[in-house]
Amino acid sequence: MGVDYSQLHDPNAEYTMRDLSAETMQVTRERGGGRDIEITDIQTTMIDGNFPWTLVRIYTDAGIVGTGEAYWGAGVPELIQRMTPFLQGENPLDIDRLTEHLVQKMSGEGSIAGVTVTAIAGIEVALHDLAGKILDVPAYQLLGGKYRDEVRVYCDCHTEAEADPEACADEAERVVEDLGYDALKFDLDVPSGHEKDRANRHLREPEIEHKAEIVERVTERVGDRADVAFDCHWTFSGGSAKRLAKRLEEYDVWWLEDPVPPENHDVQREVTQSTETPITVGENVYRKHGQRRLLEEQAVDIIAPDMPKVGGMRETRKIADLADMYYVPVAMHNVSSPVATTASAHVGAAIPNSLAVEYHSYELGWWEDLVEEDVIEDGYIEIPEEPGLGVTLDMDVVEEHMVEGEELFDEA
């Protein structure tokens, strides 16, 4: 028998002075209208997709169940099990208080960043699905209503010959013409054959020219039929990133993503302010506090939080509000299943500065089979009007694609 993480001992969690539980806060007044509901359990199931997605389910004494998803990664299910006792008996409608309650309870275990925040985010997404079902409203309504009926999707593209500019251009044209997307992204941190040392982050001129050739071929091939972004995955030094971004200024680049490692904001600011090429970062910076300096110091042209990673739906809304103060658009990074992808779309519908939501699974034939509804059509997600997130897990598909050793959720 494995460890029961819900029973771990942590004095910080047990004796915190800022306990935000309903009992401590004396949030006990009857609500009426079927809104007096308590959380009874939280369960997870990990799916073996192109990433190991952690699906989350929250159960209640009313028989209503909410489904969410945390960003993939080891340790997330254990952390969710660890937090389950903190929410049992709570009313799931108090999403903001419960999220802050978990942040405070888990402060000793790192709730300012990393997988602890990601685990909280998975619960928070499930709370939105659950609250929407209880109140009979779609999740975007809980975030303030909507600005748009559908959200644009950008397709993260790949090819077996990822370093071949012509192969990338061929794939770009196929995705636009055959799959119907008008927004794409390709990787630029691909081997060029000119590398001398993969560890020092330095780009030699032949490497820069190789990357520029990929950008040139792809952008010229699709023309004005699609916007194209390019991802660097935090690979290059500050000086190399500046030179690369400067070299790409002559092309129609939607954005250049994560050209330098995420830890040093000063270098990030210098890179962004050195070029006319739009720079996008944000998926590896957690919660609104982590995004603050990027925005206040104008170290980013487009902010890219990953909703089920950086803190959840309301946290992403808060990041978007902060970004809007600096007139910065939001392009949500996303490598999720249809559950969190749809949840990100609800956020995208509810914020004024939404640019697009990423789709990273176009090569996975059964991605959309995981839910009963259609999710992406012609490069857009139409925002569901059903209560909650508006997607229903196909439990047969879930069971078929579970990570080996995982157990299926209990019946709703």
Side-chain angles (χ1 to χ4, degrees):
M1 183 175 178
V3 175
D4 183 355
Y5 291 91
S6 66
Q7 300 302 311
L8 291 184
H9 177 66
D10 178 7
N12 287 322
E14 293 167 13
Y15 301 113
T16 176
M17 295 298 290
R18 192 171 180 263
D19 187 320
L20 300 180
S21 66
E23 181 180 5
T24 301
M25 298 296 293
Q26 299 182 1
V27 183
T28 58
R29 185 175 301 169
E30 290 187 8
R31 308 187 187 203
R35 293 179 294 125
D36 287 304
I37 294 175
E38 293 185 1
I39 295 171
T40 58
D41 194 19
I42 306 175
Q43 298 179 12
T44 63
T45 294
M46 189 177 291
I47 304 299
D48 190 14
N50 55 326
F51 294 86
W53 303 311
T54 297
L55 302 181
V56 183
R57 273 203 157 172
I58 300 178
Y59 297 80
T60 67
D61 60 353
I64 305 173
V65 175
T67 301
E69 180 181 350
Y71 187 86
W72 67 277
V76 173
E78 290 82 359
L79 283 163
I80 290 174
Q81 185 185 52
R82 167 83 178 102
M83 291 184 280
T84 295
F86 301 147
L87 294 190
Q88 287 173 321
E90 291 281 354
N91 191 310
L93 295 175
D94 296 339
I95 299 173
D96 206 69
R97 178 177 62 81
L98 295 182
T99 302
E100 282 298 310
H101 181 48
L102 293 180
V103 169
Q104 186 65 44
K105 283 287 190 181
M106 298 297 288
S107 58
E109 295 171 63
S111 59
I112 63 170
V115 291
T116 305
V117 171
T118 293
I120 293 171
I123 293 172
E124 196 258 16
V125 174
L127 286 172
H128 277 87
D129 186 48
L130 182 53
K133 291 174 179 176
I134 293 169
L135 299 174
D136 197 29
V137 296
Y140 72 77
Q141 204 71 63
L142 303 173
L143 299 171
K146 65 181 177 180
Y147 282 85
R148 52 193 65 85
D149 287 330
E150 58 183 16
V151 170
R152 193 182 189 191
V153 174
Y154 74 89
C155 184
D156 192 299
C157 302
H158 299 273
T159 173
E160 289 185 7
E162 61 181 354
D164 181 353
E166 195 65 26
C168 292
D170 290 343
E171 182 65 359
E173 186 165 42
R174 186 186 76 85
V175 172
V176 171
E177 289 298 318
D178 296 348
L179 304 185
Y181 290 91
D182 64 1
L184 317 175
K185 186 168 77 174
F186 283 84
D187 292 343
L188 277 190
D189 57 325
V190 294
S192 67
H194 301 290
E195 293 83 8
K196 295 294 185 182
D197 188 331
R198 297 279 289 183
N200 62 24
R201 302 191 185 279
H202 178 70
L203 281 173
R204 302 172 62 239
E205 284 305 311
E207 295 175 76
I208 289 179
E209 288 306 311
H210 171 258
K211 298 180 192 314
E213 187 177 1
I214 293 175
V215 172
E216 180 180 25
R217 295 285 183 88
V218 171
T219 55
E220 287 186 353
R221 182 73 69 85
V222 301
D224 60 4
R225 293 176 294 167
D227 294 312
V228 189
F230 296 89
D231 198 345
C232 300
H233 294 107
W234 325 282
T235 303
F236 308 126
S237 68
S240 292
K242 290 177 185 178
R243 288 162 47 229
L244 175 62
K246 191 72 175 176
R247 177 66 180 84
L248 300 183
E249 286 180 351
E250 64 182 277
Y251 304 114
D252 186 14
V253 174
W254 200 14
W255 70 70
L256 186 66
E257 185 171 329
D258 292 322
V260 295
E263 295 90 349
N264 193 319
H265 284 250
D266 294 331
V267 175
Q268 178 63 63
R269 182 185 63 248
E270 291 173 8
V271 170
T272 299
Q273 295 180 358
S274 73
T275 180
E276 294 179 3
T277 299
I279 303 296
T280 299
V281 298
E283 68 177 274
N284 257 359
V285 185
Y286 292 82
R287 304 179 64 209
K288 60 183 183 292
H289 306 284
Q291 311 279 347
R292 179 180 62 83
R293 281 190 65 193
L294 288 172
L295 294 161
E296 287 184 348
E297 298 179 12
Q298 300 180 54
V300 61
D301 296 305
I302 300 167
I303 199 79
D306 190 302
M307 184 279 298
K309 181 180 186 180
V310 304
M313 297 174 70
R314 291 182 63 79
E315 192 72 12
T316 303
R317 168 73 206 235
K318 293 172 184 178
I319 292 167
D321 288 341
L322 180 59
D324 198 43
M325 293 177 63
Y326 294 89
Y327 317 126
V328 171
V330 179
M332 277 175 271
H333 182 267
N334 173 61
V335 296
S336 301
S337 85
V339 175
T341 299
T342 302
S344 293
H346 276 277
V347 177
I351 60 176
N353 47 343
S354 175
L355 195 60
V357 173
E358 184 175 10
Y359 174 49
H360 206 292
S361 305
Y362 78 116
E363 298 168 299
L364 190 68
W366 54 268
W367 182 86
E368 199 160 84
D369 296 339
L370 201 64
V371 297
E372 296 177 3
E373 298 81 6
D374 295 331
V375 177
I376 302 173
E377 186 172 353
D378 295 328
Y380 285 77
I381 298 174
E382 184 176 336
I383 308 304
E385 287 297 328
E386 290 75 17
L389 297 181
V391 290
T392 308
L393 289 176
D394 185 320
M395 299 306 288
D396 291 335
V397 178
V398 170
E399 186 171 19
E400 179 183 356
H401 293 287
M402 289 190 303
V403 170
E404 185 176 354
E406 276 287 74
E407 297 182 1
L408 192 62
F409 296 118
D410 287 346
E411 290 288 337

